[in-house]
Amino acid sequence: MGSIILFGPPGAGKGTQAQRILDRTGQPQVSTGDMLRAAVAAGTPVGMEAKSYMESGALVPDEVIVRIIEERLTEPDAANGVMFDGFPRTIPQAEALDAIATIDAVIAIEVPDDEIVGRITGRYTCKPCGRVFHDVHLPLPPSGCPCGTFVEVRRADDSEATVRARLSTYHEQTSPVAEHYDRAGLLHRIDGVGDVDQISNAILAALGVE
Ligand code: AMP
């Protein structure tokens, strides 16, 4: 079995959908954004290099990203493929990935820019378990987080100004990656606006998972 890529602009729901479908596909989620945030929090050399790019909504240099992905793919749980979330984000990253992994499918979750700003500025995560919530679209249930120990965190780069910078980075540098996989016959476009369950079902159908 190869790997799956969840592709789309910031706020498309890649992280939310990865959590919902990973128990059905069996592959671990590999989010470069999560790995970089952990590196920043731990103060590692990668974190120190990445921090200013992340704060401004720019992309971290390709060689840093490719290095952390190469390392991650050597871990035992990656042996049967992974679900990439937020990677690759440039053509050089996609070309580097082509050389080290087999990609079975690329799911492009499509959401218009107008919708994204509202989504991102309302989102928050439960720190212990990583579940994603939203002030309006996906509020914390009255019974609290299913993990039982809810601690709210909001990302530093989820401010409106940074979201707009991240969107223009996406349009300039990342959207050509969709064409790269379309040419390879691997791209599935999914409408990312609407009911979260229906979107999960559309993704599973595109992946051929019953
Ligand atoms: P994300 O959580 O995927 O929205 O990523 C947060 C930030 O981390 C991005 O705005 C970039 O600064 C950086 N980042 C994450 N993944 C990548 C990647 N594949 N290439 C370059 N920068 C990345």
Side-chain angles (χ1 to χ4, degrees):
M1 190 167 61
S3 294
I4 297 167
I5 296 170
L6 290 181
F7 183 83
K14 300 184 295 292
T16 302
Q17 291 298 339
Q19 288 164 14
R20 296 170 68 91
I21 64 176
L22 53 82
D23 54 334
R24 304 286 296 280
T25 66
Q27 292 149 318
Q29 176 187 10
V30 171
S31 158
T32 41
D34 286 348
M35 291 161 78
L36 291 169
R37 278 184 288 280
V40 170
T44 66
V46 164
M48 287 190 285
E49 184 169 359
K51 192 168 189 275
S52 60
Y53 295 102
M54 296 171 76
E55 282 170 351
S56 67
L59 293 181
V60 174
D62 289 333
E63 57 274 19
V64 175
I65 300 292
V66 171
R67 203 166 357 110
I68 64 174
I69 285 290
E70 280 171 350
E71 273 175 37
R72 179 67 184 84
L73 293 183
T74 64
E75 288 174 32
D77 69 339
N80 294 319
V82 305
M83 193 185 310
F84 292 108
D85 159 7
F87 171 86
R89 263 176 153 98
T90 64
I91 293 289
Q93 290 180 20
E95 288 171 346
L97 182 62
D98 287 343
I100 57 171
T102 306
I103 305 302
D104 285 345
V106 179
I107 304 292
I109 308 179
E110 300 187 320
V111 176
D113 285 9
D114 294 348
E115 164 115 5
I116 285 172
V117 177
R119 281 192 184 194
I120 294 193
T121 51
R123 78 179 173 183
Y124 55 97
T125 302
C126 174
K127 190 169 193 233
C129 74
R131 282 186 180 81
V132 185
F133 300 99
H134 188 278
D135 293 326
V136 179
H137 306 301
L138 197 65
L140 184 73
S143 54
C145 186
C147 77
T149 48
F150 178 67
V151 180
E152 178 181 313
V153 280
R154 291 187 190 246
R155 282 172 47 172
D157 62 346
D158 276 354
S159 67
E160 183 168 343
T162 311
V163 172
R164 294 198 186 280
R166 286 160 62 200
L167 272 174
S168 56
T169 302
Y170 174 79
H171 290 300
E172 285 159 24
Q173 297 180 63
T174 304
S175 49
V177 174
E179 276 88 75
H180 175 87
Y181 290 112
D182 202 12
R183 278 194 296 276
L186 295 172
L187 191 74
H188 303 263
R189 297 181 191 275
I190 302 285
D191 183 358
V193 181
D195 181 70
V196 180
D197 286 331
Q198 276 174 13
I199 298 167
S200 307
N201 290 338
I203 293 172
L204 290 169
L207 294 174
V209 178
E210 292 306 314

